[in-house]
Amino acid sequence: MLASERRQIILEHLENSGRVRVSELTEILDVSRMTIHRDLSQLADEGHLEKVFGGAVARQSSDKDGCAMCGMAPRERTAFVLQCADGSQLQACCPHCGIMLLSARPQVVSALAADYLHGRMVNVRTATFLVDPDLTVCCTPTVLCFQDRDEAEKFQRGFGGKVMDLVNTQSYLRASMTL
Ligand SMILES: [Zn+2]
Ligand SMILES: [Zn+2]
């Protein structure tokens, strides 16, 4: 397992329970305590968590604004940033909210979303979306962003859902909201 995958798993545990223990992580990830301590230190340096005795706790994110659509705290894995004509930015918690905002706010000129697998920010106009798969990541129907259509299709084989471009995702969400 790559260090980045391990850290992703640690963050997911932290998100679910608000706190992680070194002893529990060594068991789940099958690595030494030292490795876990190194991971936690790096995640702490990056501002993802705070180390406490025997583990770590979620960082209180007072400096972050909520999603402009639903108010939920934005997540790194599903980050979505909208650029407005006046130079300001809006944040959404996930592509579901981001794409809703894109449809609702005429002042939005462009948007970037995190690739669900790799985390890098990609232009939503060229991205591929997996809509309504069998997993709930943030808001429903779930919308996941992929840079590569191939990867979206691979994900679809495991989790179902529909592979769409931005325009089709916008109409799908509009339709699902007016039901
Ligand atoms: Zn939201
Ligand atoms: Zn969301």
Side-chain angles (χ1 to χ4, degrees):
M1 188 186 288
L2 296 170
S4 58
E5 290 172 331
R6 215 167 51 227
R7 286 171 193 151
Q8 192 58 50
I9 291 170
I10 294 174
L11 288 178
E12 273 161 21
H13 272 270
L14 196 62
E15 209 175 322
N16 292 334
S17 52
R19 138 172 229 131
V20 288
R21 288 173 180 287
V22 173
S23 53
E24 147 191 26
L25 292 174
T26 53
E27 247 184 68
I28 297 168
L29 299 167
D30 197 30
V31 292
S32 70
R33 296 179 70 86
M34 218 159 81
T35 304
I36 297 295
H37 274 293
R38 243 196 335 260
D39 287 344
L40 293 182
S41 295
Q42 169 154 1
L43 289 168
D45 288 345
E46 290 168 4
H48 295 297
L49 51 78
E50 270 169 41
K51 286 185 83 174
V52 294
F53 182 71
V57 293
R59 204 173 72 105
Q60 307 301 329
S61 51
S62 53
D63 52 336
K64 274 189 186 167
D65 293 328
C67 168
M69 187 79 194
C70 72
M72 264 203 293
R75 297 149 189 256
E76 209 172 336
R77 196 85 184 270
T78 57
F80 199 106
V81 180
L82 301 116
Q83 190 71 48
C84 302
D86 65 1
S88 65
Q89 286 189 340
L90 292 173
Q91 279 194 85
C93 55
C94 64
H96 171 108
C97 282
I99 290 172
M100 299 284 283
L101 281 168
L102 205 59
S103 310
R105 307 279 180 98
Q107 71 269 35
V108 171
V109 288
S110 67
L112 296 173
D115 180 292
Y116 187 65
L117 290 179
H118 305 288
R120 57 176 173 253
M121 299 303 281
V122 299
N123 188 327
V124 296
R125 295 193 193 284
T126 56
T128 302
F129 297 92
L130 181 61
V131 182
D132 208 5
D134 285 335
L135 90 167
T136 301
V137 174
C138 191
C139 306
T140 52
T142 298
V143 180
L144 302 176
C145 173
F146 297 88
Q147 180 168 41
D148 294 321
R149 197 179 176 91
D150 281 0
E151 293 193 325
E153 284 168 355
K154 236 182 266 170
F155 217 82
Q156 181 191 31
R157 284 197 283 277
F159 294 94
K162 300 158 202 63
V163 171
M164 298 185 190
D165 64 9
L166 177 66
V167 173
N168 288 330
T169 307
Q170 278 179 303
S171 18
Y172 182 92
L173 288 179
R174 253 199 310 271
S176 74
M177 289 299 131
T178 50
L179 281 178

